[in-house]
Amino acid sequence: QVQLVESGGGLVQAGGSLRLSCAASGRTFSTYAMGWFRQAPGKEREFVAALNWSGGYTIYADSVKGRFTISRDNIKNTVYLQMNSLKPEDTAVYYCGVRYNPMPTMMPADFGSWGQGTQVTVSS
């Protein structure tokens, strides 16, 4: 079992940056692939970025590619999402999750142990 807590969200102007953190508990954290998802009001939860157990493989949604960077520190049991060049359409609650389903479809149902989320609001 892994428990996750997101932090680092806030209100920023378009073009600004934020760094989100996902703190994990559990001695087996380093064995899991992890991912970031986001959910805007009235919309379904959508994939943002994910990485494998070591952080050596990463994948991004087209909408954030080149602007966001996912990384992990297995010693600190933390996953990060560096968000640069933020746009108003990035406004959402951001969640991290553990990838329990080995199918590489990057759907919310493939992940679990969701945290409570952290709000990111980008003004124009």
Side-chain angles (χ1 to χ4, degrees):
Q1 181 181 352
V2 178
Q3 294 181 326
L4 307 175
V5 179
E6 301 93 339
S7 63
L11 174 63
V12 298
Q13 188 175 334
S17 299
L18 284 173
R19 185 178 179 86
L20 306 184
S21 297
C22 175
S25 63
R27 288 185 291 272
T28 60
F29 168 78
S30 63
T31 69
Y32 291 106
M34 303 288 294
W36 285 95
F37 287 71
R38 65 188 183 186
Q39 188 166 18
K43 295 183 178 295
E44 298 293 323
R45 188 168 298 187
E46 67 173 352
F47 170 74
V48 175
L51 43 44
N52 71 339
W53 68 271
S54 69
Y57 171 79
T58 59
I59 186 170
Y60 299 90
D62 288 341
S63 59
V64 306
K65 195 172 300 180
R67 299 187 298 120
F68 291 10
T69 302
I70 187 171
S71 62
R72 70 191 298 164
D73 186 334
N74 288 340
I75 296 177
K76 295 182 177 180
N77 283 2
T78 302
V79 177
Y80 304 97
L81 185 68
Q82 178 66 46
M83 306 185 297
N84 298 324
S85 301
L86 283 163
K87 305 174 181 179
E89 51 262 44
D90 295 319
T91 296
V93 177
Y94 283 70
Y95 301 88
C96 61
V98 178
R99 185 173 173 175
Y100 292 116
N101 192 332
M103 296 295 293
T105 54
M106 303 301 170
M107 297 186 298
D110 297 325
F111 293 74
S113 298
W114 301 103
Q116 296 184 41
T118 184
Q119 176 71 49
V120 172
T121 303
V122 184
S123 64
S124 59

Coordinates of all heavy atoms in Angstrom, one line a residue, residues 38-88:
R38 N -4.9 15.5 -14.1 CA -5.5 16.7 -13.7 C -7.0 16.6 -14.0 O -7.4 15.9 -14.9 CB -4.9 17.9 -14.3 CG -5.0 18.0 -15.8 CD -4.1 19.1 -16.4 NE -4.3 19.3 -17.8 CZ -3.5 20.1 -18.6 NH1 -2.6 20.8 -18.0 NH2 -3.7 20.2 -19.9
Q39 N -7.8 17.4 -13.3 CA -9.2 17.4 -13.5 C -9.7 18.9 -13.3 O -9.6 19.5 -12.3 CB -9.9 16.5 -12.5 CG -11.4 16.3 -12.8 CD -12.0 15.2 -12.1 OE1 -11.4 14.7 -11.1 NE2 -13.2 14.7 -12.5
A40 N -10.3 19.4 -14.4 CA -10.9 20.7 -14.4 C -12.4 20.6 -14.1 O -13.0 19.5 -14.3 CB -10.7 21.4 -15.8
P41 N -13.0 21.7 -13.6 CA -14.4 21.6 -13.3 C -15.3 21.2 -14.5 O -15.1 21.7 -15.6 CB -14.8 23.1 -12.9 CG -13.5 23.6 -12.4 CD -12.4 23.0 -13.3
G42 N -16.1 20.2 -14.2 CA -17.0 19.7 -15.3 C -16.4 18.8 -16.3 O -17.0 18.4 -17.3
K43 N -15.1 18.4 -16.1 CA -14.4 17.6 -17.0 C -13.9 16.3 -16.3 O -13.8 16.2 -15.1 CB -13.2 18.3 -17.6 CG -13.5 19.5 -18.5 CD -12.3 20.1 -19.1 CE -12.7 21.3 -20.0 NZ -13.4 20.8 -21.2
E44 N -13.6 15.3 -17.2 CA -13.1 14.0 -16.7 C -11.6 14.2 -16.3 O -10.9 15.1 -16.8 CB -13.2 12.9 -17.7 CG -14.6 12.6 -18.1 CD -15.4 12.0 -17.0 OE1 -14.8 11.2 -16.2 OE2 -16.6 12.3 -16.8
R45 N -11.1 13.3 -15.4 CA -9.7 13.4 -15.1 C -8.9 12.9 -16.3 O -9.2 11.9 -16.9 CB -9.5 12.4 -13.9 CG -8.0 12.5 -13.3 CD -8.0 11.8 -12.0 NE -8.8 12.3 -11.0 CZ -8.9 12.0 -9.7 NH1 -8.0 11.0 -9.3 NH2 -9.7 12.5 -8.9
E46 N -7.8 13.7 -16.6 CA -7.0 13.4 -17.8 C -5.6 13.2 -17.4 O -5.0 13.8 -16.5 CB -7.2 14.6 -18.8 CG -6.6 15.9 -18.4 CD -6.6 16.9 -19.5 OE1 -7.0 16.6 -20.6 OE2 -6.3 18.1 -19.2
F47 N -4.9 12.5 -18.3 CA -3.5 12.1 -18.1 C -2.6 13.4 -18.4 O -2.9 14.1 -19.3 CB -3.1 11.0 -19.0 CG -1.6 10.7 -19.1 CD1 -1.0 10.2 -18.1 CD2 -0.9 11.1 -20.2 CE1 0.4 9.9 -18.1 CE2 0.4 10.9 -20.3 CZ 1.1 10.3 -19.3
V48 N -1.6 13.5 -17.5 CA -0.6 14.6 -17.7 C 0.8 14.1 -18.0 O 1.4 14.4 -19.0 CB -0.6 15.5 -16.5 CG1 0.5 16.6 -16.7 CG2 -1.9 16.2 -16.3
A49 N 1.3 13.2 -17.1 CA 2.6 12.7 -17.3 C 2.8 11.5 -16.4 O 2.1 11.3 -15.4 CB 3.7 13.8 -16.9
A50 N 3.8 10.6 -16.7 CA 4.1 9.4 -15.9 C 5.5 9.1 -16.1 O 6.2 9.5 -17.1 CB 3.2 8.3 -16.3
L51 N 6.0 8.3 -15.2 CA 7.4 7.7 -15.3 C 7.5 6.4 -14.7 O 6.6 6.0 -13.9 CB 8.4 8.7 -14.6 CG 8.2 9.4 -13.3 CD1 7.6 8.5 -12.2 CD2 9.5 10.1 -12.9
N52 N 8.5 5.6 -15.0 CA 8.7 4.3 -14.5 C 9.3 4.3 -13.1 O 9.5 5.3 -12.5 CB 9.5 3.4 -15.5 CG 11.0 3.8 -15.6 OD1 11.3 4.9 -15.2 ND2 11.8 2.9 -16.0
W53 N 9.6 3.1 -12.6 CA 10.1 3.0 -11.2 C 11.4 3.7 -11.0 O 11.6 4.2 -9.9 CB 10.3 1.5 -10.9 CG 11.4 0.8 -11.6 CD1 11.4 0.2 -12.8 CD2 12.8 0.7 -11.2 NE1 12.6 -0.3 -13.2 CE2 13.5 0.0 -12.2 CE3 13.5 1.2 -10.0 CZ2 14.9 -0.2 -12.1 CZ3 14.8 0.9 -9.9 CH2 15.5 0.2 -11.0
S54 N 12.3 3.8 -12.0 CA 13.6 4.5 -11.8 C 13.6 5.9 -12.2 O 14.5 6.6 -11.9 CB 14.6 3.7 -12.6 OG 14.4 3.9 -14.0
G55 N 12.5 6.3 -13.0 CA 12.5 7.7 -13.5 C 13.2 7.8 -14.9 O 13.3 8.9 -15.4
G56 N 13.8 6.7 -15.4 CA 14.5 6.7 -16.6 C 13.6 6.8 -17.9 O 14.1 7.1 -18.9
Y57 N 12.3 6.4 -17.7 CA 11.4 6.5 -18.8 C 10.3 7.4 -18.4 O 9.7 7.3 -17.3 CB 10.8 5.1 -19.2 CG 9.7 5.2 -20.1 CD1 9.9 5.3 -21.5 CD2 8.4 5.0 -19.7 CE1 8.9 5.4 -22.4 CE2 7.3 5.1 -20.6 CZ 7.6 5.3 -21.9 OH 6.5 5.3 -22.8
T58 N 10.0 8.4 -19.3 CA 8.9 9.3 -19.0 C 8.0 9.5 -20.2 O 8.4 9.2 -21.4 CB 9.4 10.8 -18.6 OG1 10.2 11.2 -19.7 CG2 10.2 10.7 -17.4
I59 N 6.7 9.8 -20.0 CA 5.8 10.0 -21.0 C 4.9 11.2 -20.7 O 4.5 11.4 -19.5 CB 4.9 8.7 -21.3 CG1 4.0 8.9 -22.5 CG2 4.1 8.3 -20.1 CD1 3.4 7.6 -23.0
Y60 N 4.5 12.0 -21.7 CA 3.7 13.2 -21.4 C 2.5 13.3 -22.4 O 2.6 12.8 -23.5 CB 4.6 14.4 -21.6 CG 5.8 14.5 -20.7 CD1 7.0 14.0 -21.1 CD2 5.7 15.2 -19.5 CE1 8.1 14.1 -20.2 CE2 6.7 15.3 -18.6 CZ 7.9 14.7 -19.0 OH 9.0 14.8 -18.1
A61 N 1.5 13.9 -21.9 CA 0.4 14.3 -22.8 C 0.9 15.3 -23.8 O 1.7 16.2 -23.5 CB -0.8 14.8 -22.0
D62 N 0.3 15.3 -25.0 CA 0.7 16.3 -26.0 C 0.5 17.7 -25.5 O 1.3 18.6 -25.9 CB 0.0 16.0 -27.3 CG 0.4 14.8 -28.0 OD1 1.5 14.3 -27.8 OD2 -0.3 14.3 -28.9
S63 N -0.5 17.9 -24.7 CA -0.8 19.3 -24.3 C 0.2 19.9 -23.4 O 0.2 21.1 -23.2 CB -2.2 19.3 -23.6 OG -2.2 18.4 -22.5
V64 N 1.0 19.1 -22.8 CA 2.0 19.6 -21.8 C 3.5 19.3 -22.2 O 4.4 19.8 -21.6 CB 1.8 19.0 -20.4 CG1 0.4 19.3 -19.9 CG2 2.1 17.6 -20.3
K65 N 3.6 18.6 -23.3 CA 5.0 18.2 -23.8 C 5.8 19.4 -24.1 O 5.4 20.3 -24.8 CB 4.9 17.3 -25.0 CG 6.1 16.5 -25.3 CD 5.9 15.5 -26.4 CE 4.8 14.5 -26.0 NZ 4.6 13.5 -27.1
G66 N 7.0 19.5 -23.5 CA 7.9 20.6 -23.7 C 7.8 21.7 -22.7 O 8.6 22.6 -22.6
R67 N 6.7 21.6 -21.9 CA 6.5 22.6 -20.8 C 6.6 22.0 -19.4 O 7.1 22.6 -18.5 CB 5.1 23.2 -21.0 CG 4.9 24.0 -22.3 CD 3.6 24.7 -22.3 NE 2.5 23.9 -22.2 CZ 1.6 23.9 -21.2 NH1 1.7 24.9 -20.3 NH2 0.5 23.1 -21.2
F68 N 6.2 20.7 -19.3 CA 6.2 20.1 -18.0 C 7.2 19.0 -17.9 O 7.6 18.4 -18.9 CB 4.8 19.4 -17.7 CG 3.6 20.3 -17.5 CD1 3.8 21.7 -17.7 CD2 2.4 19.8 -17.0 CE1 2.7 22.5 -17.5 CE2 1.4 20.6 -16.8 CZ 1.5 22.0 -17.1
T69 N 7.8 18.8 -16.8 CA 8.8 17.7 -16.5 C 8.5 16.9 -15.3 O 8.3 17.5 -14.2 CB 10.2 18.3 -16.4 OG1 10.5 19.1 -17.6 CG2 11.2 17.2 -16.2
I70 N 8.3 15.6 -15.4 CA 8.1 14.7 -14.3 C 9.4 14.1 -13.9 O 10.2 13.7 -14.7 CB 7.0 13.7 -14.6 CG1 6.6 12.9 -13.4 CG2 7.5 12.8 -15.7 CD1 5.4 12.0 -13.6
S71 N 9.6 14.0 -12.6 CA 10.8 13.4 -12.0 C 10.5 12.7 -10.7 O 9.4 12.9 -10.1 CB 11.9 14.4 -11.9 OG 11.6 15.4 -11.0
R72 N 11.4 11.9 -10.2 CA 11.2 11.3 -8.9 C 12.5 11.2 -8.1 O 13.6 11.1 -8.7 CB 10.5 9.9 -9.0 CG 11.4 8.9 -9.6 CD 10.6 7.6 -10.0 NE 9.9 7.0 -8.8 CZ 9.0 6.1 -8.9 NH1 8.5 5.8 -10.1 NH2 8.5 5.6 -7.8
D73 N 12.4 11.2 -6.8 CA 13.5 11.0 -5.9 C 13.1 9.8 -5.0 O 12.3 10.0 -4.0 CB 13.8 12.2 -5.1 CG 15.0 12.1 -4.3 OD1 15.4 11.0 -3.9 OD2 15.7 13.2 -4.0
N74 N 13.6 8.6 -5.3 CA 13.2 7.5 -4.5 C 13.7 7.4 -3.1 O 13.2 6.7 -2.2 CB 13.6 6.2 -5.3 CG 12.7 6.0 -6.5 OD1 11.6 6.5 -6.6 ND2 13.2 5.2 -7.4
I75 N 14.8 8.2 -2.9 CA 15.3 8.3 -1.5 C 14.4 9.1 -0.6 O 14.1 8.8 0.5 CB 16.7 8.9 -1.5 CG1 17.7 7.9 -2.2 CG2 17.2 9.1 -0.1 CD1 19.1 8.5 -2.4
K76 N 13.8 10.2 -1.2 CA 12.9 11.1 -0.5 C 11.5 10.6 -0.7 O 10.6 11.2 -0.1 CB 13.0 12.5 -1.0 CG 14.4 13.1 -0.7 CD 14.4 14.6 -1.2 CE 15.7 15.3 -0.8 NZ 15.8 16.7 -1.3
N77 N 11.2 9.6 -1.4 CA 9.9 9.1 -1.7 C 8.9 10.1 -2.2 O 7.8 10.3 -1.7 CB 9.3 8.5 -0.4 CG 9.8 7.1 0.0 OD1 10.7 6.6 -0.7 ND2 9.3 6.5 1.0
T78 N 9.4 10.9 -3.2 CA 8.7 12.0 -3.7 C 8.7 12.0 -5.3 O 9.8 11.8 -5.9 CB 9.3 13.3 -3.2 OG1 9.2 13.3 -1.8 CG2 8.4 14.5 -3.7
V79 N 7.6 12.4 -5.9 CA 7.5 12.6 -7.3 C 7.2 14.1 -7.5 O 6.4 14.7 -6.8 CB 6.4 11.7 -7.9 CG1 6.2 12.0 -9.4 CG2 6.7 10.2 -7.7
Y80 N 7.8 14.6 -8.6 CA 7.7 16.1 -8.8 C 7.1 16.3 -10.2 O 7.2 15.5 -11.1 CB 9.0 16.8 -8.8 CG 9.8 16.6 -7.5 CD1 10.7 15.6 -7.3 CD2 9.5 17.4 -6.4 CE1 11.4 15.5 -6.1 CE2 10.1 17.2 -5.2 CZ 11.1 16.3 -5.1 OH 11.8 16.1 -3.9
L81 N 6.4 17.4 -10.4 CA 6.0 17.9 -11.7 C 6.4 19.4 -11.8 O 5.7 20.2 -11.2 CB 4.5 17.7 -11.8 CG 3.9 18.1 -13.2 CD1 4.4 17.1 -14.3 CD2 2.4 18.1 -13.2
Q82 N 7.4 19.6 -12.6 CA 7.8 21.0 -12.8 C 7.0 21.5 -14.0 O 7.0 20.9 -15.1 CB 9.3 21.1 -13.2 CG 9.8 22.5 -13.5 CD 9.7 23.4 -12.4 OE1 10.1 23.1 -11.3 NE2 9.2 24.6 -12.6
M83 N 6.3 22.6 -13.8 CA 5.4 23.2 -14.8 C 5.8 24.6 -15.2 O 5.9 25.5 -14.4 CB 3.9 23.2 -14.3 CG 3.4 21.9 -13.8 SD 1.7 21.9 -13.3 CE 1.7 23.1 -12.0
N84 N 6.3 24.7 -16.4 CA 6.7 26.0 -17.0 C 5.8 26.5 -18.1 O 5.0 25.7 -18.6 CB 8.1 25.9 -17.5 CG 9.1 25.5 -16.5 OD1 9.1 25.9 -15.3 ND2 10.1 24.7 -16.9
S85 N 5.9 27.8 -18.4 CA 5.1 28.4 -19.4 C 3.6 28.0 -19.3 O 2.9 27.6 -20.2 CB 5.6 27.9 -20.8 OG 6.9 28.2 -21.0
L86 N 3.1 28.2 -18.1 CA 1.7 27.8 -17.8 C 0.7 28.6 -18.6 O 0.9 29.8 -18.8 CB 1.5 28.0 -16.3 CG 2.1 26.8 -15.4 CD1 2.1 27.3 -13.9 CD2 1.2 25.6 -15.6
K87 N -0.4 27.9 -18.9 CA -1.5 28.5 -19.7 C -2.8 28.5 -18.9 O -2.9 27.6 -18.0 CB -1.7 27.8 -21.0 CG -0.4 27.7 -21.9 CD -0.7 26.8 -23.1 CE 0.6 26.7 -24.0 NZ 0.3 25.9 -25.1
P88 N -3.7 29.3 -19.2 CA -5.0 29.3 -18.5 C -5.7 27.9 -18.6 O -6.3 27.5 -17.6 CB -5.9 30.3 -19.1 CG -4.9 31.3 -19.6 CD -3.7 30.5 -20.0

